[in-house]
Amino acid sequence: MAFAPPSLRRTLITSAVIVVVAATAASLFSLYLTLETRNAIDRDSNALIDEQRIADRIVGFTHRQQIDAYRILQQPDNRDHGSFDVNGDSAEMQMQLYLFRELSPAARLQVERMKETHQAFEVSAHRALDLV
């Protein structure tokens, strides 16, 4: 018994179905990749925004702390270091928050240096303010 070769019509229909299925699969895969890329960009953007907010708070607290030190120097009879200490503690807490994030070794080292510099500033400021 001999098999008849497939007709031209059947070959064309089969080929068209294969092309449509392949194009659909490629389109769905492309859509999946696009959505995954968008989600990754959203995650990275949100992380960057969160890091920027923490950094802004650190700067704000340290600036307020410097202003407090200046006020204490301007009014030596006012020896209330409470605001100075509160702003310092708040800055320290924000630096700790920053260090709990996923950071590259270089970024982690930079934050550690910033933390050490801030601690040195606080020690120096307390010594200077206690002398006034």
Side-chain angles (χ1 to χ4, degrees), residues 12-13 16 18 21 24-25 32 43 50-52 64 74-75 80-82 85 91 96-97 112 117 126:
L12 287 175
I13 290 174
I18 291 172
V21 167
T24 302
Y32 169 77
R43 278 191 307 274
D50 288 344
E51 288 175 8
Q52 189 61 49
R64 279 184 236 133
Q74 292 300 311
Q75 299 171 351
D80 181 22
H81 298 179
D85 292 332
Q96 287 291 50
L97 256 175
E112 288 288 348
T117 301
H126 269 289

Side-chain angles (χ1 to χ4, degrees), residues 2-7:
F3 289 102
S7 68

Side-chain angles (χ1 to χ4, degrees), residues 4 29-30 41:
F29 185 68
S30 176
I41 290 171

Side-chain angles (χ1 to χ4, degrees), residues 1-32:
M1 191 186 263
F3 289 102
S7 68
L8 182 59
R9 172 183 271 184
R10 181 178 213 149
T11 303
L12 287 175
I13 290 174
T14 303
S15 298
V17 168
I18 291 172
V19 167
V20 168
V21 167
T24 302
S27 295
L28 290 174
F29 185 68
S30 176
L31 178 63
Y32 169 77

Side-chain angles (χ1 to χ4, degrees), residues 38-128:
R38 185 177 136 212
N39 290 338
I41 290 171
D42 284 346
R43 278 191 307 274
D44 292 346
S45 296
N46 289 337
L48 183 63
I49 290 168
D50 288 344
E51 288 175 8
Q52 189 61 49
R53 285 183 183 148
I54 293 170
D56 288 344
R57 287 192 296 263
I58 292 169
V59 169
F61 286 126
T62 56
H63 282 172
R64 279 184 236 133
Q65 195 176 27
Q66 292 170 16
I67 291 169
D68 291 337
Y70 178 75
R71 285 183 185 148
I72 294 169
L73 288 174
Q74 292 300 311
Q75 299 171 351
D77 57 325
N78 180 6
R79 295 199 176 259
D80 181 22
H81 298 179
S83 180
F84 179 86
D85 292 332
V86 166
N87 284 318
D89 291 344
S90 297
E92 189 78 21
M93 185 177 64
Q94 293 300 311
M95 286 184 237
Q96 287 291 50
L97 256 175
Y98 207 91
L99 286 170
F100 280 118
R101 303 185 69 76
E102 285 187 32
L103 299 172
S104 67
R108 185 167 300 283
L109 183 60
Q110 186 178 13
V111 175
E112 288 288 348
R113 284 185 187 147
M114 185 173 66
K115 187 176 172 188
E116 290 171 4
T117 301
H118 181 257
Q119 289 170 343
F121 161 74
E122 282 191 315
V123 169
S124 298
H126 269 289
R127 286 183 184 150

